[in-house]
Amino acid sequence: MSPCPKLIAMPDASATAYDAIIVGAGIAGASAAYFLAPERRVLVLERESQPGYHSTGRSAALFSEAYGNAAIRALTTGGKPFFQNPPAGFVERPVLSPRGAMFVGRADQTALLDRTAAEASRLVPGIRRIDGAAARAIVPVLRAGYLAGAVLEPDAMDIDVHALHQGYLKGMRAAGGELRLDAEVRELARSGGSWRAVTSAGTFAAPILINAAGAWADELGRRAGAAGIGLSPKRRTAILFDPPAGSDSAGWPLVVDVAESFYFKPDAGKLLGSPADETPIAPCDVQPEELDVALAVERIQQAADLPIARITHRWAGLRSFVADKTLVAGFDREVAGLFWLAGQGGYGIQTSPAMGRIAAALVLGRTIPADLARLGVSQAMLSPVRLAAAKA
Ligand SMILES: Cc1cc2nc3c(=O)[nH]c(=O)nc-3n(C[C@H](O)[C@H](O)[C@H](O)COP(=O)(O)OP(=O)(O)OC[C@H]3O[C@@H](n4cnc5c(N)ncnc54)[C@H](O)[C@@H]3O)c2cc1C
């Protein structure tokens, strides 16, 4: 009797082969591709016809070392040297420009202001607690009856998000990496130690699949056979409006309620405002709701004497969080060759230099870069395995 035929996984001749496929060309996928491409053949697959169409193109573009939990703050600070001194040719003008941030509070928020100042000044020496009068000297439209005090972060910066994102993609291409637009990953299968990604632009293969699909990361993970990381996309709304005539608003810092219930900041001759909403929603091309636009106007006007006669632009974007609000980078515990790069929340732009480096290091089987480890960043705090452990 002839022996049963053995099932041997054959390489898929119809699929173009790479070392790593990255799904998603937002800031997460682009930064990982930038740091990985010098060492491996990288392909970035993006569903949309322009990279940055979703969250990356809809942010408030702020770099604040006082924002987020301790892990986020360490990742942000760890990326500062790259922002301040990117490699030659990365961008044509500085990625960061001075802005400042002022966390403001009412009398009933005094304890929170004190706590914020104490925590943030441990990592960022320039941060200081100021009283209401000093805060109003910086942003005179703040209402005396509302404001009791503030925490000033003078070194917060505006980020040129478009230049940063394009810098990553350009650098990735210069190192031999490829970007395919209009390439939605519709099917994923693994055999013979290789992923086969069937997309609207062809079929591609690689041993490693990096899931940088933003709000769709859990959806993509499940397509790859994984259990998911409990990602929760949340809608955030933004509006642009004219500053008061004759005001010298261009130099104002970002003004944000210390409990994050609204913010406003100068933006190219206008003011950008938000009700800092966090409404859970299924991943989609999210649009602003009238109620949230109205909330933005109401909350900003409660705190500041800012007539908002005309809203010139409104939009919404998704900020996607896992349970502990820290980012996720690491291999899936059960599905071989699946690397998660997700949960960027409201910090994906400012943490991108650190997270791109970390993703490349871990994919290559290395440890967290030493400069980031010194700031307290560990593989365990970013690993998707922590989320499974928390659920169990
Ligand atoms: C209003 C607002 C203000 C913000 N302000 C700041 C800020 O000041 N500072 C800061 O650091 N961060 C800020 N953020 C957060 C920041 O924008 C996000 O953390 C970051 O953009 C997330 O990047 P990403 O690459 O993970 O996601 P995205 O930019 O959404 O990219 C994911 C990509 O994956 C693609 N994709 C998904 N599924 C597939 C598939 N099956 N096949 C192919 N492609 C797929 C999508 O099309 C998308 O382009 C803000 C966000 C919002 C909404």
Side-chain angles (χ1 to χ4, degrees), residues 39 329-331 339 354-374 377-380 382:
E39 307 208 42
F331 280 102
F339 188 93
M355 288 302 288
R357 285 176 67 211
I358 288 171
L362 297 182
V363 163
L364 292 166
R366 299 175 189 153
T367 53
I368 300 277
D371 56 315
L372 299 173
R374 273 196 298 278
V377 179
S378 72
Q379 202 166 330
L382 299 173

Side-chain angles (χ1 to χ4, degrees), residues 117-249:
E119 275 178 24
S121 58
R122 253 178 254 138
L123 199 63
V124 192
I127 286 188
R128 60 183 190 275
R129 180 79 161 80
I130 56 174
D131 62 19
R136 276 195 307 283
I138 298 169
V139 180
V141 292
L142 286 166
R143 294 184 191 281
Y146 177 92
L147 189 72
V151 177
L152 184 66
E153 182 188 6
D155 295 332
M157 298 277 175
D158 275 342
I159 307 173
D160 186 336
V161 178
H162 181 73
L164 175 69
H165 191 210
Q166 289 303 316
Y168 288 138
L169 292 173
K170 193 176 73 174
M172 180 267 296
R173 283 199 203 90
E178 292 175 40
L179 167 65
R180 296 283 176 114
L181 299 172
D182 299 307
E184 179 177 17
V185 176
R186 292 177 176 163
E187 282 174 41
L188 287 168
R190 189 166 173 87
S191 66
S194 181
W195 287 104
R196 187 170 177 277
V198 180
T199 80
S200 44
T203 299
F204 305 93
I208 290 173
L209 183 81
I210 300 177
N211 180 355
W216 292 265
D218 254 352
E219 213 171 82
L220 191 88
R222 280 194 286 272
R223 209 165 291 165
I229 55 172
L231 194 67
S232 175
K234 296 185 173 170
R235 183 179 65 226
R236 175 152 291 188
T237 308
I239 57 173
L240 277 185
F241 57 96
D242 292 320
S247 72
D248 190 13
S249 62

